[in-house]
């Protein structure tokens, strides 16, 4: 039985022929459309969203030219991620809730590095920059939301 990541359809239009993928921290699933029933705390590893070629062009323009995140338009039902319960069923054991902090820290640091080094590093491509910006914005939005919720209490 294969339990790894599989290719998903475009998270915007559902086209099964995808050209690009972004990997996001688990908490970012909350920013996707139709994410309400997903317990992001139970996601193991990153969340991957895929885009067809035409939608990828739109995403690049949206992120790099307009400075906007595409996540609110991406359907969570088309995202690729592993849930803790899937592993529990496979291994027949109960696992603790994953600690997402190290993964988020790593993704935040890598995003900063990519954004800062993009113009000088020939090994970075547009996909790397788009992913870095989307991750940075998502984590900032989620931190702002948590701060607002704490202030409301």
């Amino acid at each position: 039985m294969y339990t790894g990541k599989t290719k998903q359809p475009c998270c915007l239009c559902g086209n099964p022929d995808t050209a690009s993928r972004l990997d996001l921290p688990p908490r970012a699933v909350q920013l996707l459309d139709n994410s309400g029933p997903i317990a992001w705390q139970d996601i193991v590893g990153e969340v991957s969203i895929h885009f067809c070629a035409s939608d990828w062009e739109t995403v690049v323009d949206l992120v790099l030219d307009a400075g906007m995140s595409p996540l609110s338009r991406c359907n969570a039902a088309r995202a690729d991620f592993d849930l803790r319960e899937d592993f529990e069923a496979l291994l027949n054991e109960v696992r603790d809730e994953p600690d997402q902090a190290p993964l988020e820290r790593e993704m935040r640091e890598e995003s900063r590095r990519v954004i800062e080094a993009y113009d000088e590093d020939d090994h970075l491509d547009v996909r790397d920059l788009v992913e870095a910006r989307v991750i940075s914005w998502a984590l900032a939005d989620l931190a702002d939301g948590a701060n607002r919720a704490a202030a409301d209490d």
Side-chain angles (χ1 to χ4, degrees), residues 30-91:
Q30 299 172 88
L31 302 174
L32 302 178
D33 190 28
N34 299 315
S35 65
I38 299 172
W40 68 266
Q41 299 90 335
D42 286 333
I43 295 175
V44 177
E46 72 275 341
V47 173
S48 297
I49 54 175
H50 302 258
F51 299 93
C52 65
S54 64
D55 283 344
W56 178 245
E57 289 177 28
T58 303
V59 167
V60 170
D61 291 342
L62 188 66
V63 171
L64 300 183
D65 296 338
M68 297 174 62
S69 174
L71 295 184
S72 65
R73 301 273 183 188
C74 297
N75 190 336
R78 296 182 183 132
D80 187 18
F81 52 86
D82 296 318
L83 290 174
R84 176 173 55 130
E85 288 83 4
D86 295 338
F87 285 102
E88 290 173 353
L90 179 67
L91 302 174

Side-chain angles (χ1 to χ4, degrees), residues 110 113-115 117-119 121-126 128-129:
E110 177 63 11
R113 186 195 70 75
V114 167
I115 291 168
Y118 180 74
D119 291 329
D121 190 340
D122 294 336
H123 295 95
L124 296 174
D125 61 17
V126 170
D128 297 320
L129 182 60

